[in-house]
Amino acid sequence: MPIRKRAGAGAATARPGWSARFHVEKFDEKRGVALGWASFSKDKSGNLIIDHDQDVIRPHELERAAYRPTEIAGTANVMHQGPDIGHLVESVYLDTEKRKAMGLGAADDQSVGWWVGYQITDPVARAKVAAGDYPELSIEGWADRVEIEGGAHWTRIGRASKGRGPKP
């Protein structure tokens, strides 16, 4: 299966040697809920994606990562550090089969992604998300990495992986 450095839906423009960073796609200021893609495993053509940390997360590992936060705290912080600023309210792993069952997307879309929503309860962090100071989403946790071509890594999601909220 080909591996491509490519930005997925909702990602910033890709640069050489770098790929998808996922932005907050929607922020409901009244409820304080930030929504967006936490990660992608495959693009619309079915190619595996190398993320900005040079990780390649296979679909079954991404699915595991998407379910894990609902089993543990599911809290949000800033840049994987400091006190909790909110909590997980939505975690959806989407692949071709699930989109088909839901009647979503194009029939030839082979992308695999993880959509998240965090309610930001900390007033300072909430203001920073609203202002665009914390525009991105990220995954926090532990993973085993095996180096593959070009410095990229196969990434096996560890037992404590959890999505995390907005980051600057």
Side-chain angles (χ1 to χ4, degrees):
M1 175 170 299
I3 300 172
R4 299 178 58 187
K5 290 184 180 180
R6 180 162 180 236
T13 305
R15 294 174 284 196
W18 180 92
S19 68
R21 285 188 180 263
F22 300 98
H23 293 275
V24 173
E25 297 292 333
K26 179 181 178 190
F27 184 63
D28 179 334
E29 290 188 50
K30 184 177 178 183
R31 294 182 1 215
V33 176
L35 298 163
W37 294 105
S39 188
F40 268 90
S41 178
K42 290 183 176 183
D43 66 15
K44 288 184 178 188
S45 297
N47 298 302
L48 290 169
I49 294 173
I50 300 174
D51 72 15
H52 69 280
D53 288 323
Q54 298 299 301
D55 290 325
V56 178
I57 304 172
R58 293 177 231 186
H60 69 278
E61 294 291 343
L62 187 62
E63 182 175 30
R64 202 167 130 201
Y67 296 155
R68 191 69 182 134
T70 63
E71 298 170 2
I72 57 176
T75 56
N77 62 19
V78 177
M79 291 300 294
H80 312 296
Q81 298 177 2
D84 293 341
I85 61 163
H87 57 273
L88 183 73
V89 294
E90 190 169 320
S91 181
V92 181
Y93 170 81
L94 287 172
D95 61 14
T96 305
E97 292 80 24
K98 286 186 181 179
R99 278 193 309 281
K100 182 178 178 183
M102 298 165 89
L104 300 173
D108 62 345
D109 183 351
Q110 298 177 48
S111 63
V112 175
W114 176 15
W115 178 266
V116 294
Y118 284 92
Q119 182 171 36
I120 309 305
T121 55
D122 178 87
V124 173
R126 195 176 196 161
K128 288 185 177 192
V129 173
D133 295 336
Y134 291 171
E136 297 181 347
L137 297 166
S138 183
I139 299 173
E140 176 182 357
W142 294 264
D144 296 324
R145 297 168 122 192
V146 177
E147 190 165 337
I148 55 175
E149 64 185 73
H153 305 90
W154 287 121
T155 302
R156 183 176 170 269
I157 303 298
R159 62 178 173 76
S161 293
K162 50 189 169 184
R164 280 299 194 174
K167 67 178 194 172

